[in-house]
Amino acid sequence: MTATDRSLELINAAAQAAADKLAHDIIAYDVSDVLSITDAFLLASAPNDRQVKSIVDEIEERLNKDLGAKPVRREGDREARWVLLDYVDVVVHVQHSEERVFYALERLWKDCPQLELPADAEATRGKAREYAQAQGPDGGAGGELS
């Protein structure tokens, strides 16, 4: 089983929205072979809570406006450290960079196929590391992403 066309449409729109709001390290996995509850995961991060919230809001607005999709569940909004948007077909995780490193979801899903994303989203790979280095030894994410 592979992700449906609708799932890919949602993932690509969410990835582009995240990239437009300067998310870091956007990546998507086709989890349809290992999970029966969803087809794909999208992961993105940002260096502060405010930007996490901005990315989440943009994804939600873009998917609703362009594709008529609304999340059935939105979790983690109050703290804005790890916000989950559940669209049934896809689940979007937007994490603060520190949570991204600590929970390392990429390691959990590394055996699942990565999905191709829009060029703007692909270009965000490595941005968290660049940001952390620019902030100096005490700033940034405090670790590396794969």
Side-chain angles (χ1 to χ4, degrees):
M1 181 184 254
T2 59
T4 65
D5 289 343
R6 175 67 173 171
S7 297
L8 297 176
E9 182 180 42
L10 291 167
I11 285 289
N12 283 312
Q16 185 62 56
D20 290 348
K21 287 295 183 178
L22 307 178
H24 295 166
D25 299 302
I26 302 169
I27 192 165
Y29 294 98
D30 181 338
V31 297
S32 61
D33 282 340
V34 293
L35 292 177
S36 60
I37 57 172
T38 193
D39 283 348
F41 281 161
L42 179 76
L43 310 176
S45 54
N48 60 63
D49 301 354
R50 216 164 140 178
Q51 191 175 359
V52 166
K53 195 164 186 54
S54 176
I55 292 164
V56 168
D57 289 346
E58 182 68 17
I59 291 169
E60 197 168 11
E61 183 178 322
R62 185 94 48 99
L63 268 59
N64 186 20
K65 182 179 156 203
D66 296 350
L67 302 173
K70 292 183 180 182
V72 295
R73 192 173 74 205
R74 181 174 174 158
E75 293 183 7
D77 206 26
R78 188 184 340 215
E79 297 83 21
R81 300 288 293 181
W82 180 352
V83 180
L84 179 144
L85 296 173
D86 183 352
Y87 287 91
V88 180
D89 295 329
V90 302
V91 176
V92 177
H93 300 267
V94 182
Q95 298 175 296
H96 188 288
S97 298
E98 292 170 356
E99 269 68 13
R100 179 92 179 254
V101 170
F102 183 79
Y103 290 103
L105 295 179
E106 289 90 345
R107 276 189 265 157
L108 288 174
W109 306 110
K110 69 180 182 211
D111 294 333
C112 295
Q114 282 188 35
L115 295 171
E116 191 173 319
L117 297 174
D120 291 344
E122 296 279 351
T124 67
R125 305 272 170 84
K127 294 292 182 187
R129 187 172 18 261
E130 289 173 20
Y131 181 85
Q133 289 171 345
Q135 297 304 304
D138 293 331
E144 290 190 15
L145 297 174
S146 335

